[in-house]
Amino acid sequence: MTHTARKRFGQNFLRDHSIIDAIIRAINPQPDDIVVEIGPGLGALTQPLSGCLKHLSVIEIDRDIIEYLKNQPFADKLTIYSGDVLNFDFAQIGGIKKVVGNLPYNISTPLLFHLTKYANEISEMHFMLQKEVVERMCAAPNNKHYGRLSVALQYFFAMEEIIAVPSAAFDPAPKVDSAVVRMVSQVGRIGVASNFEHFSHLLTASFAMRRKTIHNNLKGLADDDDLLSVAINPTWRAENITPEQFVALSNYLVAKN
Ligand code: SAM
């Protein structure tokens, strides 16, 4: 089949076999692993993965691609879920899962947030993403890439960039550089928020205006005494505050109110 890549589905197909091999080695699939691939496309990762696994679940939105996959020799290993991964209930696949994929970049941030809901039933994830997004995910405090995405994901996962991928590795080539990130689920690694909604809201408010001090961004939510009680200097910006301190501040405010 000749498939014309669809921009609206973020279709950039991997064609560099050394990169594909490196990703498969990083995933290190074992026959009995419960693996879910997001966006299998024309099977660049699906084929080698299915060679290592007894079974593989894939989620794909493009119906033409689904028809193509059904006709591949490895199709008997697959359960194909047709639809938008942003609405996909990962809990319907039982057991502790490994999630992988060369993701559609246009939905990467909402997709990462969607996956946090299932962090307790995911052991690890390997994703190809825009390099700039991977830098934001993995950033530490006092780094210009550090922001709400970093803290919100680091709450659930230990993360590292493991493979840098040039755009020439894809067909068609995206306009941006890419990278593969490993995300290992470690809920509780930076503490446990007693009220997760409050914690999320606090992060959004703290990073709302990056140039403003935390004192200004949190007006009405926390006063200077609250900040000082968890060792946050009110003159700092959100980028100077560690993930652990955000959890501690949220828990302090929840307990106080
Ligand atoms: N895995 C293939 C590869 O590496 O060559 C394809 C990767 S391509 C970047 C992204 C894939 O995700 C495409 O197959 C696309 O159709 C699919 N996709 C895009 N948006 C999706 C969505 N909302 N839900 C599920 N799949 C989606």
Side-chain angles (χ1 to χ4, degrees):
M1 173 183 112
T2 46
H3 177 82
T4 308
R6 294 190 162 118
K7 234 185 180 170
R8 71 177 185 284
F9 291 149
Q11 290 178 350
N12 297 94
F13 300 109
L14 262 172
R15 62 167 186 184
D16 181 324
H17 285 279
S18 64
I19 299 285
I20 294 169
D21 289 350
I23 297 171
I24 302 297
R25 275 199 305 278
I27 297 169
N28 189 21
Q30 302 300 308
D32 290 311
D33 283 350
I34 303 168
V35 179
V36 186
E37 185 188 2
I38 299 170
L42 302 176
L45 300 173
T46 322
Q47 180 176 14
L49 279 173
S50 60
C52 304
L53 297 166
K54 287 186 186 154
H55 179 261
L56 173 62
S57 295
V58 302
I59 308 160
E60 175 59 62
I61 200 168
D62 186 326
R63 286 169 196 273
D64 292 342
I65 281 185
I66 291 174
E67 282 315 304
Y68 169 86
L69 288 170
K70 282 181 183 163
N71 291 309
Q72 295 308 300
F74 51 84
D76 57 335
K77 292 271 186 88
L78 305 183
T79 298
I80 302 176
Y81 295 91
S82 162
D84 186 344
V85 65
L86 292 177
N87 301 324
F88 187 74
D89 175 12
F90 283 80
Q92 72 187 273
I93 301 173
I96 302 293
K97 295 160 270 291
K98 290 185 173 178
V99 185
V100 303
N102 168 16
L103 298 184
Y105 294 175
N106 50 344
I107 58 162
S108 52
T109 304
L111 177 53
L112 289 165
F113 278 101
H114 180 62
L115 285 159
T116 61
K117 296 177 206 152
Y118 303 97
N120 281 319
E121 46 185 290
I122 291 172
S123 57
E124 56 182 43
M125 312 201 274
H126 289 86
F127 292 138
M128 175 86 74
L129 286 161
Q130 241 174 283
K131 192 174 171 59
E132 180 259 326
V133 173
V134 173
E135 281 167 356
R136 288 201 281 129
M137 294 162 70
C138 300
N142 304 317
N143 176 303
K144 67 173 185 210
H145 298 293
Y146 182 71
R148 183 175 83 102
L149 186 72
S150 328
V151 184
L153 294 179
Q154 288 171 25
Y155 181 82
F156 297 99
F157 304 102
M159 296 181 289
E160 57 173 329
E161 177 184 327
I162 54 169
I163 308 170
V165 184
S167 47
F170 302 88
D171 182 23
K175 289 197 182 75
V176 292
D177 283 333
S178 299
V180 177
V181 63
R182 171 179 286 142
M183 307 173 70
V184 178
S185 187
Q186 286 181 7
V187 181
R189 61 191 295 273
I190 62 160
V192 176
S194 57
N195 179 332
F196 185 74
E197 255 180 62
H198 181 277
F199 172 66
S200 300
H201 180 59
L202 186 73
L203 289 183
T204 306
S206 299
F207 286 101
M209 306 279 208
R210 285 190 72 91
R211 307 297 305 159
K212 281 195 177 178
T213 62
I214 194 72
H215 163 92
N216 278 329
N217 272 333
L218 292 187
K219 256 185 198 152
L221 287 176
D223 60 29
D224 286 358
D225 286 341
D226 297 330
L227 296 171
L228 289 166
S229 70
V230 291
I232 294 174
N233 184 325
T235 66
W236 289 351
R237 296 187 178 131
E239 69 196 41
N240 308 122
I241 298 168
T242 65
E244 289 82 352
Q245 284 175 313
F246 280 113
V247 174
L249 178 60
S250 172
N251 288 351
Y252 174 87
L253 295 170
V254 169
K256 186 182 148 188
N257 293 320

